[in-house]
Amino acid sequence: MQTVFRRKLEMAERVREFTRARVTSEPSYAPVLTKFQDLVTRAEQIAARQHQGRLNAKGARDRRKELRRMLQFQLVHYLVAVGSVATKNQAELAARFKLPETNATNTVFLTAVKALLAVAESQRDLLVQGGMEPALLENLGRMVADFEVVSEAARTARRDHIGARTDLDVVSVELMEQVKVLDGITRYHYGNDPEMMAEWKAAKQVLGLPRNGNASTPPAGAPGGVKQAA
């Protein structure tokens, strides 16, 4: 989760607790508070989705990394060792039994392994005679399929993560707008109550960030507040 949004969400949760503890019968307050509370709930849900997307993406990447290691240094290495020897008298064919570059992208790596598997399938009998385990190609095919699945899972999780981050940007703006409205209402009702304004100031402060025009308040008890009956 983005640090800035995390701090804004923590602020919004404090504001929600502040407002819940000070229910007012003013008709203008209820719809603003309802909208604000709905936004906080929505923001929490989006944040949870983003967090899960990050976890899913990391899990898929870790699994893909392990599969690639096994492919590169076990199955493919074995196949290339057998194939390069079994086809040594067929220069053009032997040249196709090469290990993928270790620093290749995952897409390039997968393409190279699939091409190697296709060649090996066409030369199965020759390779078995040269020392290849008969089950190697089936195992290799399954691992390639797994690699494709986790690669797609990683892409999907990343898209979910990016989508959630975009949604967080939108809801963050809406949250700050509603806090601004609540700030106006609170000043109107409690502007001459130093204790109440001190609590409000503490609730709506976004910790760790410089205060701006939307989030700042004058010192508690400053002139200008018009106290009204709640």
Side-chain angles (χ1 to χ4, degrees):
M1 185 187 305
Q2 295 167 303
T3 301
V4 172
F5 179 80
R6 175 71 259 177
R7 290 172 177 169
K8 288 182 178 179
L9 182 55
E10 289 171 351
M11 176 275 293
E13 290 168 344
R14 290 195 303 272
V15 168
R16 180 173 60 185
E17 293 308 308
F18 177 93
T19 56
R20 282 175 174 173
R22 292 158 184 82
V23 178
T24 177
S25 59
E26 290 294 326
S28 62
Y29 190 70
V32 176
L33 182 57
T34 297
K35 182 174 182 179
F36 174 74
Q37 292 176 338
D38 289 346
L39 282 170
V40 175
T41 299
R42 178 181 160 203
E44 290 171 336
Q45 293 170 342
I46 296 171
R49 193 178 95 220
Q50 186 192 42
H51 179 65
Q52 189 59 51
R54 181 184 293 110
L55 291 179
N56 291 344
K58 183 180 184 305
R61 289 195 304 268
D62 289 346
R63 176 57 178 159
R64 181 173 60 188
K65 183 178 179 180
E66 177 61 15
L67 285 171
R68 178 163 174 167
R69 185 194 67 78
M70 293 172 65
L71 282 167
Q72 180 81 17
F73 297 105
Q74 292 179 241
L75 280 72
V76 173
H77 190 94
Y78 177 25
L79 178 58
V80 168
V82 172
S84 61
V85 173
T87 62
K88 64 181 181 180
N89 294 325
Q90 305 175 57
E92 184 176 344
L93 186 58
R96 302 176 68 179
F97 284 93
K98 290 184 177 180
L99 287 170
E101 295 292 337
T102 56
N103 61 349
T105 65
N106 287 310
T107 300
V108 172
F109 174 80
L110 181 61
T111 299
V113 173
K114 291 173 76 172
L116 181 60
L117 180 59
V119 173
E121 288 284 7
S122 70
Q123 303 295 323
R124 176 185 288 268
D125 292 342
L126 178 63
L127 296 177
V128 170
Q129 292 173 10
M132 183 186 77
E133 290 284 345
L136 175 62
L137 299 186
E138 285 72 21
N139 292 336
L140 181 56
R142 282 194 294 271
M143 196 169 291
V144 165
D146 288 346
F147 191 93
E148 290 181 303
V149 169
V150 297
S151 293
E152 181 57 32
R155 287 190 290 269
T156 298
R158 178 169 173 76
R159 286 195 297 268
D160 289 345
H161 173 76
I162 292 173
R165 185 172 60 192
T166 300
D167 291 343
L168 286 178
D169 290 340
V170 173
V171 77
S172 177
V173 171
E174 294 179 0
L175 273 173
M176 297 306 291
E177 288 174 348
Q178 292 308 301
V179 170
K180 184 177 181 179
V181 176
L182 288 170
D183 182 53
I185 293 173
T186 302
R187 288 168 183 266
Y188 180 71
H189 287 289
Y190 305 112
N192 288 334
D193 186 332
E195 183 177 348
M196 190 71 74
M197 291 306 297
E199 290 181 31
W200 171 245
K201 179 180 178 181
K204 74 186 188 68
Q205 181 180 0
V206 181
L207 301 177
L209 297 179
R211 288 179 296 173
N212 54 36
N214 292 338
S216 63
T217 60
V226 180
K227 187 174 182 180
Q228 300 288 328

